[in-house]
Amino acid sequence: MKKRWSTAIAAVAVMLSASIATQAFAAGPFGDIASVSNKAKIEALQQQGIIKGVSDTAFHPEDNLTAAQGISLIVRATQISLAAIDFNKAPTADGFYTKINNDVWYAEDFVIAHYNGLDIPADIDPQSPLTKEQFTHYLVQALELTGQYPTVKMFIPIQDEQDITVAYQGTIQRALLYKIASLDEAGKFDPAHKLTRAEAAASLYDAVSFIEAHKDDAAPETGANG
């Protein structure tokens, strides 16, 4: 009986994987990113099922990235989860966040982020735009949960470092070393810049590429990253 049950589960898993792959392949291209510089990165993430549009054919690349969208994208891109955590009862988003209900589409992503140590404020507004420094900080924290990555011990001068939140300075330095974030021509990071969906997609693509490039020599982390 066990053998037949295992075989049935395996068959269902294969069918689900095939269905997901078919849906991803069948997804049409976004019609509003033709002139976007990060078009190829957006399309690659769409094909991987990491990003979705506001509709089947529209991505709205110039829209501000909301906190809800950003955290959800980070969780999907880095594949952090609750798999290694034991619970006496199922956790709920409103147990950690004052402005997030349990029945919204992004609630589970915020719970995953919380239990994996991303220091997201309890009073974060999920509909507020994420700044460049916030998104970069959360993305680096999640990325570093996927492995222990060697970095060159060097300090990258940032011309507007005084404008960066002190708690974010370390992760932003590492983001620059990982090459998942960059400075402008004047050497500025522009931490308060409200990210667009296209800009966030480019950073996500670079983060996924970084993880993929180092997967053979990065030992997975065993605990949450603070």
Side-chain angles (χ1 to χ4, degrees), residues 12-191:
V12 170
V14 169
M15 286 190 293
L16 284 173
S17 297
S19 174
I20 291 171
T22 299
Q23 290 175 18
F25 182 79
F30 296 128
D32 57 353
I33 62 172
S35 60
V36 176
S37 60
N38 296 315
K39 177 177 182 289
K41 293 182 178 182
I42 294 171
E43 290 177 336
L45 291 177
Q46 182 194 22
Q47 291 167 8
Q48 294 175 50
I50 293 174
I51 64 171
K52 299 176 183 178
V54 297
S55 71
D56 290 340
T57 58
F59 181 65
H60 288 195
E62 299 306 319
D63 282 1
N64 287 334
L65 180 80
T66 66
Q69 295 166 350
I71 297 302
S72 181
L73 285 171
I74 288 171
V75 168
R76 288 204 300 268
T78 59
Q79 298 182 42
I80 58 175
S81 71
L82 302 177
I85 304 172
D86 293 326
F87 299 99
N88 292 324
K89 62 178 182 178
T92 58
D94 63 3
F96 314 115
Y97 305 102
T98 60
K99 298 178 181 178
I100 299 178
N101 297 321
N102 298 318
D103 56 354
V104 293
W105 63 268
Y106 48 84
E108 183 180 4
D109 295 319
F110 274 82
V111 171
I112 290 172
H114 172 83
Y115 272 101
N116 278 277
L118 276 65
D119 59 345
I120 301 169
D123 62 350
I124 190 169
D125 180 353
Q127 301 309 320
S128 65
L130 277 184
T131 64
K132 184 179 179 181
E133 68 168 5
Q134 288 175 315
F135 182 78
T136 302
H137 181 60
Y138 302 144
L139 179 56
V140 169
Q141 287 189 311
L143 179 151
E144 291 178 340
L145 289 168
T146 67
Q148 295 179 328
Y149 301 105
T151 56
V152 178
K153 291 187 179 299
M154 62 177 291
F155 177 80
I156 298 177
I158 303 174
Q159 296 305 313
D160 55 350
E161 183 180 15
Q162 72 279 359
D163 298 329
I164 297 174
T165 299
V166 174
Y168 299 167
Q169 290 178 354
T171 45
I172 288 172
Q173 276 287 328
R174 298 200 295 280
L176 295 172
L177 291 170
Y178 295 150
K179 299 187 186 305
I180 63 173
S182 61
L183 306 177
D184 63 18
E185 293 180 355
K188 294 183 177 182
F189 184 74
D190 195 8

